[in-house]
Amino acid sequence: MDKKLKILLVNDDGISSPGIVHLAEMAMQLGEVWVAAPSSQCSAMSQKLKAVLPIRPDVVFSGINIGYNAGFDIAYSGTVAAAMEAVMNGIPAIAFSAQHDGSYDVTDRYILDIARELLAAPLAPGEIWNVNFPGCPLDEFKGILHERTIAPKFIFDNTYSANPRSGGMTLIPDADFIAHGDAPAGSDIEAVLHGYISIGKVKSMVL
């Protein structure tokens, strides 16, 4: 990759999140990096935040989210929504997420190689790459699985105060928790729950 990319980094966990630091360390090996992130936690708020830069980025990296963006969680994800905002403006994007209570060992080892691979891979109009990293140590890591589908159910194991006024949590009606053995075959959730990196595509409903 000869060209130095202009890369915009965004997240919804806040500027002080460790995830965006890990993402920036990777992105600086690929090009010129700009960062736009909220001052505090804004998870599950979808497209609440927007930003204007003095440049047009070549690519948007969103994340690394604290917690998986897999299954039905994707519909409420600020991380995925930021990547979708990019593709709606004709800019390719990758959403990165990792287990919220895990280590970054697998992430740090593989994220640069994955970013380079996906930057060179074709996407249809309106599609983004969605990458989820398990939080297991390297000696328990199983590998990388591509073409992961979105599980029709979702796992929700984070605790957010998504409504600052009431202090309440955002709850999803009729959402199911998925045990390891119940994750649909070929799905993003099946991959991460069994120690794999999940790589899949998400398509915007707008384009």
Side-chain angles (χ1 to χ4, degrees), residues 3-4 9 14 37 58 62 65 67 84 94 104-105 118 128 133 169:
K3 178 186 176 184
K4 283 291 186 181
L9 268 56
D58 297 309
S62 186
N65 190 66
M84 288 296 184
I94 306 174
Y104 282 92
D105 292 350
L118 298 185
I128 66 164
F133 295 92
M169 291 173 57

Coordinates of all heavy atoms in Angstrom, one line a residue, residues 3-4 9 14 37 58 62 65 67 84 94 104-105 118 128 133 169:
K3 N 0.1 4.5 -1.1 CA -0.5 5.7 -0.8 C -0.7 5.8 0.7 O -1.1 4.9 1.4 CB -1.8 5.8 -1.5 CG -2.6 7.1 -1.1 CD -4.0 7.0 -1.8 CE -4.8 8.2 -1.4 NZ -6.2 8.1 -1.9
K4 N -0.4 7.0 1.3 CA -0.7 7.3 2.7 C -2.1 7.7 2.8 O -2.5 8.7 2.3 CB 0.3 8.4 3.2 CG 1.7 7.9 3.5 CD 1.7 7.0 4.7 CE 3.1 6.7 5.1 NZ 3.2 5.7 6.2
L9 N -10.8 8.4 12.6 CA -11.2 7.5 13.7 C -12.3 8.1 14.5 O -12.3 9.2 14.8 CB -10.0 7.3 14.6 CG -9.0 6.1 14.3 CD1 -8.5 6.2 12.9 CD2 -7.9 6.0 15.3
G14 N -16.2 7.3 23.9 CA -15.6 8.4 24.5 C -14.1 8.5 24.1 O -13.4 7.5 23.9
A37 N -14.2 12.0 18.5 CA -14.9 11.2 19.5 C -15.6 12.0 20.5 O -15.1 13.1 20.8 CB -13.8 10.2 20.1
D58 N -10.1 9.2 3.4 CA -10.2 8.0 2.5 C -10.9 6.9 3.0 O -11.5 6.0 2.3 CB -8.8 7.6 2.1 CG -8.0 8.7 1.4 OD1 -8.5 9.2 0.4 OD2 -6.8 9.0 1.8
S62 N -14.1 2.8 12.8 CA -15.0 3.1 14.0 C -14.7 2.1 15.1 O -14.7 0.9 14.8 CB -16.4 3.1 13.5 OG -17.3 3.4 14.6
N65 N -14.9 -0.7 19.7 CA -16.0 -0.6 20.7 C -15.7 -1.5 21.9 O -15.1 -2.6 21.7 CB -17.3 -1.0 20.1 CG -18.5 -0.7 21.0 OD1 -18.8 0.4 21.2 ND2 -19.1 -1.8 21.4
G67 N -17.1 -4.0 23.8 CA -18.3 -4.9 23.8 C -18.5 -5.2 22.3 O -18.3 -4.5 21.4
M84 N -21.7 3.4 9.0 CA -22.8 3.6 8.0 C -22.8 5.0 7.5 O -23.1 5.3 6.3 CB -24.1 3.2 8.6 CG -24.2 1.7 8.9 SD -24.2 0.8 7.3 CE -24.5 -0.9 7.9
I94 N -14.8 0.6 8.3 CA -14.7 -0.6 9.0 C -15.1 -0.4 10.4 O -14.6 0.6 11.1 CB -13.3 -1.2 8.9 CG1 -12.8 -1.4 7.5 CG2 -13.3 -2.6 9.7 CD1 -11.4 -1.8 7.4
Y104 N -6.6 -7.2 25.1 CA -6.4 -6.7 23.7 C -5.3 -7.5 23.0 O -4.9 -7.1 21.9 CB -6.1 -5.3 23.7 CG -7.3 -4.3 23.9 CD1 -7.6 -3.9 25.2 CD2 -8.1 -3.9 22.8 CE1 -8.7 -3.1 25.4 CE2 -9.1 -3.1 23.0 CZ -9.5 -2.7 24.3 OH -10.6 -1.9 24.5
D105 N -4.9 -8.7 23.5 CA -3.8 -9.4 23.0 C -4.1 -9.9 21.5 O -3.3 -9.7 20.6 CB -3.5 -10.7 23.8 CG -2.9 -10.3 25.2 OD1 -2.6 -9.1 25.4 OD2 -2.8 -11.2 26.0
L118 N -8.8 -5.9 4.5 CA -10.2 -5.4 4.2 C -10.1 -4.1 3.4 O -11.0 -3.8 2.6 CB -11.0 -5.1 5.5 CG -11.2 -6.4 6.3 CD1 -12.1 -6.1 7.5 CD2 -11.8 -7.5 5.5
I128 N -20.5 -2.1 4.9 CA -19.3 -1.9 5.7 C -18.8 -3.2 6.1 O -19.5 -4.2 6.1 CB -19.6 -1.0 6.9 CG1 -20.5 -1.7 7.9 CG2 -20.2 0.4 6.5 CD1 -20.6 -1.2 9.3
F133 N -13.5 -8.9 17.8 CA -12.4 -9.6 18.4 C -12.7 -10.2 19.7 O -13.3 -9.6 20.6 CB -11.2 -8.6 18.6 CG -10.6 -8.0 17.4 CD1 -11.1 -6.8 16.9 CD2 -9.6 -8.7 16.7 CE1 -10.5 -6.2 15.8 CE2 -9.0 -8.1 15.6 CZ -9.5 -6.9 15.1
M169 N -31.6 2.0 31.9 CA -30.9 1.3 30.8 C -31.8 1.2 29.6 O -33.0 1.1 29.7 CB -30.5 -0.1 31.3 CG -29.4 0.0 32.4 SD -29.1 -1.7 33.0 CE -28.8 -2.6 31.5

